[in-house]
Amino acid sequence: TRQKKDAKRTALMQAAVRVFAEKGYHAATIRDIVSAAGVAVGTFYFYIPDKETLFVYLYEETAEFLLQAIKQAVNSRATLPKQIQAAVQAYVNIGVYEPAVVSLLLVGGVGALPALVTRRSEFREGMINIWQGPLDVALDKAQISPQNTRRTAEALAGAFDENILQLLEQPDAQNEATAAVTDMSGYALRAVGD
């Protein structure tokens, strides 16, 4: 039935994200993915032509998911401090509750495939734009010190990525999440001179 096929495909995709995040693109095998998904190798090839196609698809999907979540958080608030806090909270939540997504994007995609070079650049640009938008508005309203908002957004994007990766290394990341949001938001506001 259609429901069973959808369930198998979903299980396959979820397992692939976890396997790629854990092992990296090159070490992960199709057998690892189907084993984690609890499906046959033939099921993999029914849905997906090869490992590279799957990885690129998952990278694109997880990038879009993360960018949308952070963008919605920013757009749900009216002031720069609230926008930064909401966006950082969204990023930390995804990191803590969906660590494979963050690992796939920040670690798994680095140098994995030539086909990902452009997509990774697009993802990085998307993250920078999310942080730059509210900075531009705040700068136009003279709410922050004069600065190159592009460079500030680049610095924030890189710092936040590193903070998230370090948070995920903690044995109890979930309990550290609140402090991480407070620290990251405070850092961002000090950095922009708010």
Side-chain angles (χ1 to χ4, degrees), residues 160-179:
F160 291 157
D161 289 350
E162 185 60 29
N163 285 158
I164 294 291
L165 288 172
Q166 292 302 318
L167 176 64
L168 296 181
E169 293 294 319
Q170 300 300 314
D172 196 8
Q174 195 169 351
N175 285 335
E176 297 286 328
T178 302

Side-chain angles (χ1 to χ4, degrees), residues 33-115:
I33 295 166
V34 298
S35 176
V39 300
V41 172
T43 302
F44 178 93
Y45 288 110
F46 178 78
Y47 294 106
I48 303 146
D50 55 48
K51 184 173 85 166
E52 180 176 340
T53 301
L54 174 62
F55 190 82
V56 170
Y57 172 79
L58 290 173
Y59 189 91
E60 291 171 342
E61 290 295 308
T62 55
E64 184 61 28
F65 168 72
L66 182 62
L67 292 171
Q68 278 298 102
I70 296 172
K71 190 181 293 188
Q72 285 176 349
V74 167
N75 293 338
S76 72
R77 302 296 190 273
T79 65
L80 182 63
K82 298 277 186 201
Q83 289 172 319
I84 288 175
Q85 184 175 18
V88 168
Q89 182 71 62
Y91 198 1
V92 167
N93 286 348
I94 291 169
V96 169
Y97 297 107
E98 297 289 343
V101 167
V102 173
S103 294
L104 181 75
L105 291 169
L106 300 183
V107 180
V110 178
L113 298 166

Side-chain angles (χ1 to χ4, degrees), residues 88-175:
V88 168
Q89 182 71 62
Y91 198 1
V92 167
N93 286 348
I94 291 169
V96 169
Y97 297 107
E98 297 289 343
V101 167
V102 173
S103 294
L104 181 75
L105 291 169
L106 300 183
V107 180
V110 178
L113 298 166
L116 274 185
V117 172
T118 300
R119 286 171 180 90
R120 182 162 167 67
S121 293
E122 290 167 353
F123 169 67
R124 299 302 314 145
E125 188 64 28
M127 288 294 275
I128 292 164
N129 289 338
I130 286 171
W131 300 116
Q132 186 176 357
L135 295 175
D136 287 341
V137 171
L139 184 62
D140 289 344
K141 293 180 178 179
Q143 294 171 337
I144 59 174
S145 309
Q147 60 194 276
N148 180 332
T149 57
R150 168 69 188 198
R151 295 288 177 248
T152 303
E154 290 169 350
L156 291 177
F160 291 157
D161 289 350
E162 185 60 29
N163 285 158
I164 294 291
L165 288 172
Q166 292 302 318
L167 176 64
L168 296 181
E169 293 294 319
Q170 300 300 314
D172 196 8
Q174 195 169 351
N175 285 335

